[in-house]
Amino acid sequence: MFKIITDTGADLTQDQVVEYGLEVLPLGVIIDNEEFLDGETIQPKDVYDAMRAGKAPKTFQIEAARLEHCFRQHLESEIPFLYLAFSGELSGTYQTAVMVGNLLKEEYPNSTFHILDTRAASVGQGLFVKTVAEYGQDHSYEETVAYATSLVGKIRHLFTVESLEYLMRGGRVSKASAFIGDLLTILPLLTVEDGKLVPIEKVRGHKKVMRRIAEWMTESKPLVDGGHVFIGHGDDPVKADQFEALLRQHMNPASVTKTIVGSAIGAHTGPGLLVVGYFEA
């Protein structure tokens, strides 16, 4: 028996957490100098509502003490664990987890655990975790760790936002660029490369950007057909439904999971975000 641990950066549904027996650690969000824990003391919709009201949330990584408490529980119970972490390029949580793990290894030299940077975020990380959890149901701990390691870099993420205003608030784009972009409805299409958010093109119009995401996905059509697709939204389930309908016009995924994006990404991208995760290679 072993345990798979992840964090709220994965944007998993509660049903998936229960189904696979996952342990999920909360990332943090700060609103008006008050700290909250994603999914525990604040829900994603609360964060989006605060942003609509003009607030500018900030996020913070999982604290070392929380990671230590979680890891120590499993070490004392002699339960091997695998922590699948939010991209180390987007949060310091992975580096902190490694530091905590190294300290605990000295205290528990015969322990068995592994901390892996998924280099993924949001629903891409969620798909990564779900895939590893499914594999782990029928395989040993060592096989599951090796399999998880082999998946790093194979998840494709595609993001777009409703407005550049929220990226401007977080310093991701200039105020002038955000104004011009919103005026002309020019939206960025972004991906994740080596764990970092990277813009790949600009698209004019909300409907067109969804079509462009579907077009990008046709490059991996053999993998999407019969595969699993995760769709995340920034408190806009209608947009997620619209994209799923568009996707199914061109591809035949085995399953589609739709979920609200939590504070780890949503606090920087705002309401109306659309993000898709699927296997590319």
Side-chain angles (χ1 to χ4, degrees):
M1 184 181 82
F2 60 90
K3 191 75 174 179
I4 293 178
I5 304 169
T6 191
D7 47 63
T8 54
D11 293 331
L12 291 158
T13 67
Q14 187 57 36
D15 287 346
Q16 289 168 335
V17 171
V18 173
E19 179 179 359
Y20 299 111
L22 303 170
E23 185 166 353
V24 182
L25 299 174
L27 292 156
V29 58
I30 302 171
I31 301 175
D32 290 339
N33 296 317
E34 185 174 357
E35 294 186 357
F36 302 91
L37 296 177
D38 188 21
E40 290 192 4
T41 58
I42 196 168
Q43 298 303 316
K45 182 168 176 49
D46 300 324
V47 177
Y48 291 117
D49 286 343
M51 297 178 82
R52 293 185 181 104
K55 307 294 184 182
K58 297 180 181 179
T59 56
F60 60 92
Q61 68 184 56
I62 301 170
E63 296 176 345
R66 180 122 190 185
L67 288 163
E68 180 185 356
H69 176 73
C70 172
F71 293 172
R72 188 181 293 277
Q73 282 186 314
H74 298 296
L75 295 175
E76 291 181 350
S77 301
E78 298 184 347
I79 298 174
F81 67 84
L82 169 60
Y83 176 36
L84 301 174
F86 187 48
S87 171
E89 293 289 344
L90 298 175
S91 169
T93 295
Y94 166 70
Q95 288 83 0
T96 301
V98 170
M99 177 193 71
V100 170
N102 288 337
L103 291 173
L104 290 172
K105 194 71 175 177
E106 296 178 5
E107 189 175 344
Y108 299 88
N110 298 318
S111 60
T112 302
F113 64 90
H114 191 82
I115 299 165
L116 182 67
D117 182 354
T118 65
R119 296 187 190 175
S122 188
V123 294
Q125 183 186 348
L127 177 56
F128 189 108
V129 173
K130 173 183 180 292
T131 303
V132 172
E134 286 182 335
Y135 183 90
Q137 290 179 330
D138 300 312
H139 295 82
S140 69
Y141 174 79
E142 291 76 13
E143 290 172 325
T144 303
V145 170
Y147 178 67
T149 303
S150 76
L151 293 181
V152 175
K154 294 184 178 181
I155 295 285
R156 175 66 135 175
H157 310 68
L158 292 170
F159 292 76
T160 191
V161 295
E162 181 75 16
S163 168
L164 293 173
E165 175 188 354
Y166 304 104
L167 291 175
M168 181 269 292
R169 289 183 192 175
R172 302 287 181 174
V173 299
S174 71
K175 187 173 183 179
S177 295
F179 174 76
I180 294 170
D182 284 349
L183 186 66
L184 300 175
T185 322
I186 296 174
L187 305 172
L189 182 55
L190 307 98
T191 188
V192 175
E193 293 180 2
D194 295 324
K196 302 176 185 177
L197 282 177
V198 177
I200 49 178
E201 65 179 79
K202 296 178 182 177
V203 182
R204 187 169 182 177
H206 298 292
K207 291 183 179 179
K208 188 173 181 180
V209 76
M210 286 200 289
R211 290 198 299 270
R212 284 297 293 142
I213 292 174
E215 288 169 4
W216 273 88
M217 293 179 73
T218 59
E219 296 180 1
S220 301
K221 188 175 185 297
L223 291 167
V224 177
D225 286 350
H228 302 288
V229 174
F230 274 39
I231 300 172
H233 62 86
D235 195 25
D236 192 345
V238 172
K239 180 179 289 185
D241 290 342
Q242 289 172 341
F243 181 75
E244 179 184 4
L246 178 64
L247 176 68
R248 291 188 182 278
Q249 289 177 16
H250 304 284
M251 281 159 273
N252 299 292
S255 70
V256 173
T257 295
K258 290 176 290 187
T259 183
I260 190 169
V261 174
S263 65
I265 294 291
H268 302 284
T269 52
L273 165 71
L274 180 70
V275 52
V276 182
Y278 59 98
F279 278 101
E280 184 181 44

